Amino acid sequence: MRHTVSMLQHYICAFREAIRIDGWRFALRRAAAFIHGRIEPKLRHQLLERKTAPKSVSSLHSIIATLETVLTDRPMILIISDIQIQQCVHYRIEQKLRYLGKIGLQAMHISPAESGRIRAFLGLAHMVIIYRTALPPAVLQEFRDAGVRILFEFDDLIVGQAALENSGILTQVTDTQALHLRILSAKLLKTAQSCDAIIASSAHMAQLYAKEENGLADKPCFVIPNFVETDSYSPPGKKDVTFAYTSPSGSIRCELAMLTGFLTSYDAGAEHDWSILVMGNELARKELEKLPFRRGRITGLPFSAFDDYLFTITRAETVL
């Protein structure tokens, strides 16, 4: 009896959340599809109609097409992530939610700490995308028990110690940071290995993880790059900076060596004055100011909110 009451409360919560998302009609469609899926021993497979969408989201279509069954014309997709890096949230989560909505797919982002909300929506979802987050085996088992397709998404070489060791990242951080990265990489790999497929942010990264030594060679891999945006951040009429450079990390020694080499070469052949705007990294600004550029000028700005950063770098002719 207690189990029945608990399940009833769970379904009521899920129904209320569905109403909040898209109204009564959506909630009733979802409820009918959910009940139908529990009553029918076998569902008749339906093909998900591919709607017209930007070319940049074709990989999302490829993933969605792998669903075995689609109960309605708007299957829900959950993105589970605890990532706090604002640009990652923008490019890997917010963009995905917006473009999925444009092609008629319901999607939402939930933190792994919100276990109640995750359980409430699992019965309504057909796919879970875990972005750059390690989850316990018990949670992954809940996903499998709910019958959802599970994908693991990442955009950095931090999944698995083999890839991490070969990435060069560990040489640029402190011993304490390296220790934490190794622990995290092992947890991320274990989570990824428990998923049905993986999503990489570039073809190069997909090729690296197709190698046996990186632990994910047996997983189907989809490549979804960051989408290019031109509507919200259109360039201003006048460019007043030649270059813009930004990296909030202190572990940029190799990157900084490439940057100084490029700027030194550029300055040697420059026939006019040029400038570089360094945002959010005092180390990079101070190192560049030490160089005896003939015609170069270094300016700096502190770390800023991501939207402010996007607007600021449009002042530059080239972003490095």
Side-chain angles (χ1 to χ4, degrees):
M1 180 65 181
R2 181 179 299 176
H3 175 73
T4 302
V5 172
S6 176
M7 291 298 293
L8 182 61
Q9 291 174 337
H10 165 78
Y11 294 140
I12 291 173
C13 178
F15 188 72
R16 286 175 175 170
E17 286 283 354
I19 294 174
R20 184 181 64 81
I21 289 176
D22 209 8
W24 279 93
R25 185 173 297 178
F26 171 71
L28 289 172
R29 285 204 314 268
R30 280 295 182 188
F34 180 78
I35 294 170
H36 176 72
R38 294 302 185 271
I39 293 176
E40 290 288 333
K42 290 185 179 179
L43 291 174
R44 290 177 298 171
H45 288 202
Q46 298 180 18
L47 294 176
L48 175 65
E49 178 183 359
R50 290 193 175 193
K51 303 185 180 183
T52 303
K55 188 176 181 180
S56 57
V57 298
S58 60
S59 293
L60 291 177
H61 284 306
S62 299
I63 295 173
I64 295 160
T66 65
L67 293 173
E68 294 183 358
T69 57
V70 178
L71 301 181
T72 72
D73 61 348
R74 292 186 68 184
M76 178 171 284
I77 297 174
L78 302 182
I79 301 176
I80 311 295
S81 179
D82 59 5
I83 191 71
Q84 299 295 315
I85 303 173
Q86 192 171 359
Q87 57 263 41
C88 293
V89 173
H90 178 81
Y91 282 112
R92 306 307 299 180
I93 296 177
E94 292 176 352
Q95 278 192 341
K96 201 176 278 90
L97 294 176
R98 187 163 66 252
Y99 281 94
L100 284 170
K102 285 186 177 181
I103 62 173
L105 298 173
Q106 190 71 40
M108 65 188 303
H109 169 218
I110 306 179
S111 165
E114 299 177 282
S115 56
R117 294 191 71 206
I118 292 175
R119 291 190 180 97
F121 283 99
L122 270 181
L124 305 177
H126 288 77
M127 182 187 297
V128 169
I129 298 175
I130 303 168
Y131 170 51
R132 204 166 162 163
T133 300
L135 295 180
V139 174
L140 295 169
Q141 187 59 50
E142 282 191 53
F143 293 169
R144 283 190 286 270
D145 292 343
V148 298
R149 181 170 174 79
I150 312 171
L151 290 87
F152 185 85
E153 178 175 353
F154 57 99
D155 53 1
D156 207 346
L157 298 175
I158 56 171
V159 181
Q161 293 196 33
L164 179 64
E165 295 287 347
N166 293 324
S167 68
I169 295 174
L170 295 179
T171 63
Q172 304 296 309
V173 298
T174 66
D175 291 343
T176 300
Q177 289 173 323
L179 175 62
H180 288 303
L181 275 174
R182 287 189 175 98
I183 294 172
L184 175 63
S185 69
K187 292 180 178 179
L188 291 174
L189 179 61
K190 188 173 181 180
T191 298
Q193 288 173 334
S194 298
C195 295
D196 300 308
I198 59 175
I199 301 173
S201 60
S202 68
H204 175 67
M205 191 171 294
Q207 291 172 358
L208 289 177
Y209 280 91
K211 297 179 179 179
E212 293 289 341
E213 61 265 28
N214 289 325
L216 295 173
D218 63 325
K219 299 294 181 184
C221 182
F222 301 92
V223 177
I224 302 179
N226 296 337
F227 301 151
V228 176
E229 294 181 335
T230 56
D231 51 349
S232 300
Y233 305 104
S234 55
K238 183 180 179 181
K239 303 287 188 179
D240 57 9
V241 177
T242 313
F243 303 110
Y245 171 80
T246 178
S247 175
S249 172
S251 57
I252 60 166
R253 289 294 179 181
C254 291
E255 187 176 316
L256 191 54
M258 291 188 289
L259 177 65
T260 55
F262 164 74
L263 292 178
T264 299
S265 174
Y266 182 85
D267 183 69
E271 298 179 354
H272 54 78
D273 292 340
W274 61 271
S275 60
I276 180 169
L277 171 65
V278 180
M279 292 187 65
N281 197 303
E282 280 295 291
L283 171 63
R285 182 184 64 80
K286 290 177 180 178
E287 289 296 315
L288 291 178
E289 286 179 343
K290 295 177 183 178
L291 299 178
F293 293 129
R294 296 184 308 112
R295 313 200 69 161
R297 176 173 56 89
I298 315 300
T299 59
L301 287 175
F303 184 80
S304 66
F306 187 60
D307 285 348
D308 293 337
Y309 153 74
L310 288 176
F311 281 112
T312 302
I313 63 171
T314 59
R315 294 166 45 194
E317 296 174 10
T318 304
V319 179
L320 302 175

